[in-house]
Amino acid sequence: MKYRFDEIFKENKDGTLSPIRQIRVGGVSFGPGVSFGPGAVFGGVDFYRYKGHELEADDENGILVIKAIYQTTL
């Protein structure tokens, strides 16, 4: 299923990002309470670079598994 970036991550007041729910990418899981900025890599992906993009993900037992990032933005 396709998700907007802001349906998965929120931007914090300090400019960092945090997942809204538990997610997994490339075998790495993280969730609310984790914040990160540019250059932080999870499962080989610097999500900060993809702010505004759409992501493909599947819900697997309550964990959102990121499958792809689309190059086009909304």
Side-chain angles (χ1 to χ4, degrees):
M1 180 173 180
K2 245 185 211 186
Y3 292 86
R4 292 186 328 266
F5 190 87
D6 65 357
E7 291 177 301
I8 299 174
F9 297 99
K10 70 175 182 172
E11 189 160 2
N12 302 309
K13 290 181 182 183
D14 64 0
T16 60
L17 298 174
S18 293
I20 295 170
R21 57 184 283 191
Q22 191 73 21
I23 65 170
R24 184 170 64 227
V25 61
V28 177
S29 292
F30 58 106
V34 173
S35 62
F36 59 92
V41 177
F42 297 93
V45 179
D46 178 355
F47 284 103
Y48 206 88
R49 293 181 55 205
Y50 298 102
K51 288 179 8 177
H53 289 249
E54 292 179 309
L55 297 97
E56 183 74 27
D58 294 328
D59 187 311
E60 294 182 5
N61 299 316
I63 298 173
L64 199 60
V65 180
I66 308 294
K67 303 287 186 178
I69 301 171
Y70 294 98
Q71 294 300 313
T72 57
T73 57
L74 296 173

